[in-house]
Amino acid sequence: MKLLPFLFLIPFIVNANPVYKQHCAECHGADRLGNTGPALLPENLSRLRKDKANLVIKQGSVATQMPGFGDKISDAEIQTLVDYIYTPLPEIPKMGMAEIKATHIIHYPNGSLPAKPVFDADPLNLFLVVELGDHHATILDGDKLEPIHRFKTRFALHGGPKYSSDGRFVYLASRDGWVSKFDMYNLKTVAEIRAGINTRNLAVSADNKYVMVANYLPHTLVILDARNLAPIQVIDVKDDMGKSSRISAVYVAPPRHSFIAALKDIKEVWEIPYSDKANSLPVYLGPMHDYRQDSGEKSLIDTRKFPIRRIKLDGFLDDFFFDKNYLNLIGAARDGSKGQVINMVIGRKIAGIDLSGMPHLGSGITWDYQGIPVLATPNLKEGIVSVIDMRNWKILKRIKTLGPGFFMRSHEKSKYAWVDVFFGPNKDAVHVIDKQSLEIVKTIRPTKGKTAAHVEFDRYGKYVLLSIWELDGALVIYDANTLEEIKRLPMHKPSGKYNVYNKTRLSSGTSH
Ligand code: DHE
């Protein structure tokens, strides 16, 4: 039943460009609707000129898994590929309320499992580790540093899984639109739903009532009931002129009682309150209701709308981050233009930031540097970590690294910040930066020649967990103070790891 909406694509797939079938279909999908790579349709390529697309196919795309094909495919073949991906599909499969509802699976009805962990480990010091290599996740005891459970996930999870505020549940999104709710106490997937065709990420409201899913395809934001993932509302993302847009990402802003989403093809940020409490903010965000009054596993009322506050910008936002109180959004486009600071109270840009290359603000962290609140971000294109003074948004220091990095992490109790060198010949290195001198004090190469990336601290800031990002990879655990290796746990391409305490307490050393 789930495949039915896509059946009409079969003739189109059979007639696909043969070069596409050979080189592109595996990552972008035989139907061009996306797989581990994004969907390749004119609707999703509006910001990429055809000559640039030609270059991307030839040379690859910075900060993605997209390699260059210039040495495998002729120029003429590349041109046929460009023409092919800019040709509209006869019809884009629908993924509206009815189609989403049809995919809903409840494994365990809300409230049917005991609210008590089935293990002895501290439930707040657990880690969820995503293993991309075989689409599994491992739950790890953060005190004993031992796995306690491993389970199959949907295909190609991406973005940070998000916990309920008590840490009992975790919500996971896959690139092909599946959202899963996993019960950390009972170690069971309790509900699943497909909320998009090509999904970016999800966020969970701080009152644990709603999950918001941001999609690349279709151009929608989908609101789910956090209890059982029942769909509540599908928002078509469009500007005043009816132009639609992919969503760069959605995050929750707890003190604002709202979700905040940046749009990728429209110069706007949307703020969507989820609680009446949002009305006590200086900006009126609209009337709120509890959409879940017809609750439980019954059908939900979806006639009323969540109000949307639209903030117009003078540039696109591909990547963004918030300061501690969610007063300011700090964002940047991936095209190397300057970063911008948008004040969420007055709803407009208040400063530019002199960021070059491709700052990875989504991976930014903050700390106190000699009494100055600073934000540090790695760069996906240049070997630098930019440290920004958050009082005036000026660059305080550019720390030179051995190459572009993806992820940066620290912990309130640690004097160090860690950054990887994800790209290039030094991809096996990670730098340890002293947060008070802003100098690299140690460079670690856990396994020569193998990508080392993404660290996360345990709840006490005692240990640092790092991924050897390879099929025959491992989790390498370091003492956070001595920087000495403690142990290795073999894993299949471990990617992100997420500590319950640090995530639910919004530690300034990690992403939220
Ligand atoms: Fe990610 C988080 C966007 C490529 C692994 N990535 C995110 C988030 C966004 C994002 C917006 C934050 C979502 C959240 O946590 O809710 N990522 C993008 C891109 O635009 C980009 C560059 C291109 C793309 O393919 O979409 C991209 N990302 C990658 C990868 O190639 C990575 C390395 C491997 C993969 O899984 O595809 C990758 N991204 C991650 C991880 C996180 C992430 C592990 C969560 C980090 C965290 O600690 O919170």
Side-chain angles (χ1 to χ4, degrees), residues 354-356 382 384-387 395-400:
D354 188 14
L355 290 166
S356 58
E382 295 174 10
I384 48 166
V385 166
S386 308
V387 183
I395 302 281
L396 230 148
K397 181 157 181 184
R398 289 191 173 89
I399 305 169
K400 242 180 115 29

Side-chain angles (χ1 to χ4, degrees), residues 16-305:
N17 176 316
V19 189
Y20 180 89
K21 265 206 248 176
Q22 190 185 344
H23 296 286
C24 320
E26 190 185 337
C27 294
H28 295 282
D31 46 17
R32 288 161 52 203
L33 297 176
N35 195 9
T36 48
L40 294 177
L41 305 174
E43 295 77 359
N44 280 18
L45 295 168
S46 62
R47 273 176 66 195
L48 187 71
R49 290 196 327 263
K50 281 192 174 182
D51 54 342
K52 186 79 199 302
N54 196 305
L55 264 187
V56 170
I57 299 172
K58 220 177 261 178
Q59 297 173 359
S61 174
V62 180
T64 70
Q65 310 288 318
M66 169 79 185
F69 287 88
D71 54 346
K72 295 186 191 75
I73 316 180
S74 71
D75 283 359
E77 285 173 326
I78 290 179
Q79 196 47 50
T80 67
L81 279 180
V82 173
D83 295 338
Y84 181 62
I85 62 175
Y86 283 85
T87 306
L89 287 180
E91 198 186 329
I92 298 199
K94 267 191 80 165
M95 205 59 177
M97 184 56 103
E99 292 78 12
I100 294 173
K101 263 187 183 155
T103 67
H104 193 193
I105 307 165
I106 295 178
H107 300 287
Y108 296 93
N110 186 45
S112 65
L113 294 173
K116 191 174 169 315
V118 293
F119 45 81
D120 291 333
D122 172 6
L124 289 178
N125 200 17
L126 297 177
F127 286 86
L128 183 139
V129 185
V130 172
E131 291 181 67
L132 284 180
D134 59 355
H135 312 286
H136 274 70
T138 290
I139 309 292
L140 192 88
D141 175 341
D143 294 313
K144 292 197 179 127
L145 304 173
E146 290 291 346
I148 60 172
H149 184 65
R150 191 166 189 267
F151 65 99
K152 181 128 194 66
T153 66
R154 289 282 170 177
F155 178 80
L157 296 187
H158 176 243
K162 303 288 153 63
Y163 291 104
S164 57
S165 55
D166 59 1
R168 171 169 173 190
F169 298 105
V170 64
Y171 299 84
L172 311 149
S174 72
R175 286 199 187 250
D176 63 359
W178 280 97
V179 174
S180 312
K181 177 177 179 181
F182 183 82
D183 183 335
M184 299 281 288
Y185 288 6
N186 292 284
L187 304 175
K188 286 186 180 358
T189 299
V190 292
E192 295 177 282
I193 195 161
R194 192 171 185 195
I197 296 170
N198 195 196
T199 288
R200 196 86 285 247
N201 79 325
L202 61 74
V204 179
S205 61
D207 62 5
N208 300 310
K209 287 184 173 178
Y210 306 106
V211 175
M212 184 171 276
V213 184
N215 287 324
Y216 261 15
L217 191 74
H219 294 175
T220 53
L221 282 162
V222 178
I223 302 172
L224 308 173
D225 186 317
R227 288 172 302 182
N228 61 3
L229 301 183
I232 295 175
Q233 195 185 327
V234 178
I235 302 174
D236 285 321
V237 176
K238 289 187 177 143
D239 68 8
D240 297 335
M241 311 299 288
K243 178 181 161 34
S244 69
S245 175
R246 295 168 291 170
I247 325 299
S248 299
V250 63
Y251 296 106
V252 65
R256 302 186 62 76
H257 315 283
S258 64
F259 292 110
I260 297 179
L263 312 189
K264 207 164 177 80
D265 307 307
I266 298 174
K267 295 174 183 170
E268 286 182 18
V269 167
W270 286 13
E271 178 164 28
I272 302 157
Y274 54 74
S275 154
D276 267 332
K277 292 185 185 147
N279 287 340
S280 57
L281 294 171
V283 177
Y284 178 66
L285 294 172
M288 279 302 306
H289 313 276
D290 190 343
Y291 294 81
R292 309 169 328 137
Q293 51 191 284
D294 186 15
S295 61
E297 272 57 62
K298 285 184 267 166
S299 65
L300 292 148
I301 296 169
D302 54 17
T303 47
R304 286 174 294 188
K305 302 270 178 268

Side-chain angles (χ1 to χ4, degrees), residues 3-13:
L3 286 174
L4 277 181
F6 302 89
L7 278 183
F8 70 90
L9 285 169
I10 287 176
F12 212 69
I13 295 168

Side-chain angles (χ1 to χ4, degrees), residues 36-38 62-65 132 157-162 175 200-203 216 248-251 264 318-319 334 360 362-363 380 406-407 409 422-423 454-456 469 495-498 503 510-512:
T36 48
V62 180
T64 70
Q65 310 288 318
L132 284 180
L157 296 187
H158 176 243
K162 303 288 153 63
R175 286 199 187 250
R200 196 86 285 247
N201 79 325
L202 61 74
Y216 261 15
S248 299
V250 63
Y251 296 106
K264 207 164 177 80
D318 294 313
D319 199 11
R334 288 260 159 82
H360 193 207
S363 187
L380 299 166
F406 224 105
F407 302 108
R409 291 285 175 266
F422 200 86
F423 305 99
H454 193 284
V455 307
E456 177 81 7
W469 199 292
S495 62
K497 50 210 84 61
Y498 309 89
K503 295 292 179 187
T510 191
S511 62
H512 310 132

